[in-house]
Amino acid sequence: MAATMATGSTISTDDGDTKNAKATVSLRQFNPDLILGDEIAPSGGSSGTDSRFAAVGHEVFCVRYSPDGQFIAAARGDGDIDVYSATTGNKVYHLAAKPTDPSPTCCIRFRPNTSSSKTRNVMLSVNANGDVKHWHVTSMKCLHTISEDPNQVYALDYRRDGLKFATAGQDYKVRFYDEATKTLQTTLTGGDGRTKAGDSNRV
């Protein structure tokens, strides 16, 4: 089988029988070059592009699909979060961190879409500066911020029903929050990584 892969090209067999083998292949379905732990390459050049959307030189710490598969979010080393269309690969939203404190956004999670959640496209992010942020992706607004300073927060996740979420980080503690009130409910302690079991590595 001989084939040439290019946008709008065709694939055909060596014996010349293209009756059932001819096909159009698109290699541009997903445009941005996202490499986990590496730099983000620009997607579209500088012509008519807002400088806020230039992601060159920033590492990607976490990538996550939205629950409906419509978006792919990438958390950057400067704290910003870029959101791409999973269909076209184009960058569609940009969630900007504090310009005065460009600490890495270490983990992101979309809130599960359940009957109890009235607002869709809500994302939770945690930052190395201790911030736990709720975002409304499609309006690009930060809805709420919880500070765990001086803790550096490395991990988080939602409970399956979206009513609770948990964070973990440098201080070896796991904190459980109520999603509706954004208040701390429970803190699990014990491991310090030295005399007791525990882990505070970013990866």
Side-chain angles (χ1 to χ4, degrees), residues 1-155:
M1 174 79 71
T4 301
M5 302 290 284
T7 302
S9 64
T10 61
I11 302 175
S12 60
T13 57
D14 288 332
D15 59 7
D17 183 11
T18 60
K19 181 178 180 180
N20 297 316
K22 188 175 292 185
T24 300
V25 181
S26 174
L27 301 183
R28 298 181 60 81
Q29 183 175 356
F30 195 73
N31 192 31
D33 299 321
L34 290 180
I35 304 174
L36 192 63
D38 208 337
E39 294 181 355
I40 305 177
S43 58
S46 59
S47 177
T49 301
D50 190 325
S51 61
R52 293 178 305 160
F53 293 80
V56 178
H58 299 295
E59 292 183 334
V60 178
F61 277 63
C62 181
V63 177
R64 199 73 177 178
Y65 270 97
S66 62
D68 58 7
Q70 184 178 359
F71 302 118
I72 301 172
R76 292 170 21 178
D78 64 347
D80 289 4
I81 302 170
D82 292 324
V83 182
Y84 297 86
S85 166
T87 304
T88 66
N90 294 327
K91 188 185 299 183
V92 289
Y93 303 109
H94 178 79
L95 312 181
K98 298 176 183 177
T100 56
D101 189 7
S103 301
T105 293
C106 301
C107 192
I108 52 177
R109 290 292 185 272
F110 282 88
R111 187 170 67 189
N113 290 334
T114 64
S115 57
S116 61
S117 57
K118 298 179 180 179
T119 306
R120 303 290 177 172
N121 299 315
V122 173
M123 179 195 293
L124 192 61
S125 69
V126 292
N127 199 282
N129 65 7
D131 284 348
V132 182
K133 291 178 176 288
H134 280 82
W135 299 90
H136 185 239
V137 173
T138 51
S139 67
M140 297 185 289
K141 292 181 179 179
C142 180
L143 303 176
H144 191 270
T145 301
I146 300 169
S147 178
E148 292 188 8
D149 186 56
N151 185 35
Q152 294 185 25
V153 192
Y154 302 146

